[in-house]
Amino acid sequence: MNGPRAGFPNETISRDQVSLRELLPEDAPTVAAAVDAEILRWLPLLPNPYRLEDAAFFCTEVAPATLRSGKGIVRAVEVDGQLAGVIDLKKADWRARTVEVGYWTAGWARGRGLTSATVDLLSRWALTEQGFRRVELRAAVGNVGSQRVAERAGFAREGVLRWAGLTADEPTDIVVFSRIRTDLGDALA
């Protein structure tokens, strides 16, 4: 891609009671407390146990560096003033206009449709406001909850990548989902 380096704006994205905002240093205790066994089960690259120091590093170093790199954006999911999880766009290819979405949700916020709404909100923003053509979502075959999130958020299941991921340091198959502009309706095709 010629011209200035592409990147995401550091803005808050909101709809209804959900706000996707910048992670702040003061979020670290809430992030650390929210990362439970279920999150660690499906995100094995996180330190285990996940300590306050890990959360502080994530909030103050990793998230800002991701934004600066132009390859992604990390947002705190805030619902009615309470941090309910984290969602990000990563592996942004600004030339091909493709990106991957990832997320985790605090235990108290699971099972309420919040995660699907959040994934819908961020993927729509990527496709409409940021001009991406494709948003990809990957979930371990055993992570039925994340697969349901993808489907409820309007993603199409594309297939399975054999042994493409890890859970508990064991290889696992990964289900690939995608959402493209035409999935949002004719006005954006």
Side-chain angles (χ1 to χ4, degrees):
M1 181 171 189
N2 296 327
R5 187 182 84 199
F8 293 98
N10 191 14
E11 64 186 35
T12 298
I13 307 153
S14 299
R15 183 172 66 207
D16 301 326
Q17 82 279 12
V18 178
S19 179
L20 308 181
R21 62 160 175 80
E22 182 177 12
L23 272 169
L24 304 170
E26 54 267 27
D27 291 323
T30 307
V31 169
V35 175
D36 60 12
E38 186 68 9
I39 293 168
L40 291 170
R41 176 181 180 195
W42 300 116
L43 300 175
L45 298 179
L46 291 178
N48 189 0
Y50 195 79
R51 301 163 304 163
L52 178 58
E53 297 80 25
D54 301 315
F57 182 74
F58 180 72
C59 293
T60 62
E61 300 294 329
V62 174
T66 299
L67 185 66
R68 283 192 308 273
S69 76
K71 292 292 188 179
I73 185 170
V74 180
R75 301 283 92 176
V77 178
E78 190 174 279
V79 178
D80 298 326
Q82 188 173 358
L83 192 134
V86 171
I87 190 166
D88 68 343
L89 294 174
K90 56 192 168 199
K91 302 177 187 171
D93 182 332
W94 290 93
R95 185 169 182 184
R97 306 305 274 187
T98 62
V99 69
E100 182 179 334
V101 64
Y103 52 86
W104 60 257
T105 304
W108 67 266
R110 294 181 197 138
R112 300 173 38 192
L114 172 66
T115 308
S116 296
T118 302
V119 170
D120 173 57
L121 176 60
L122 189 60
S123 64
R124 279 181 185 277
W125 179 80
L127 293 166
T128 61
E129 302 296 319
Q130 302 307 306
F132 282 89
R133 294 184 186 106
R134 172 185 171 91
V135 179
E136 192 171 286
L137 188 155
R138 295 173 176 227
V141 292
N143 192 345
V144 177
S146 274
Q147 292 176 52
R148 287 186 184 135
V149 163
E151 291 164 352
R152 289 179 184 141
F155 283 69
R157 182 183 171 123
E158 293 186 337
V160 175
L161 301 174
R162 298 182 310 153
W163 281 25
L166 290 174
T167 57
D169 297 324
E170 295 292 325
T172 188
D173 296 346
I174 298 292
V175 183
V176 178
F177 295 85
S178 71
R179 194 173 199 193
I180 59 175
R181 284 185 193 170
T182 55
D183 295 338
L184 302 178
D186 293 334
L188 299 171

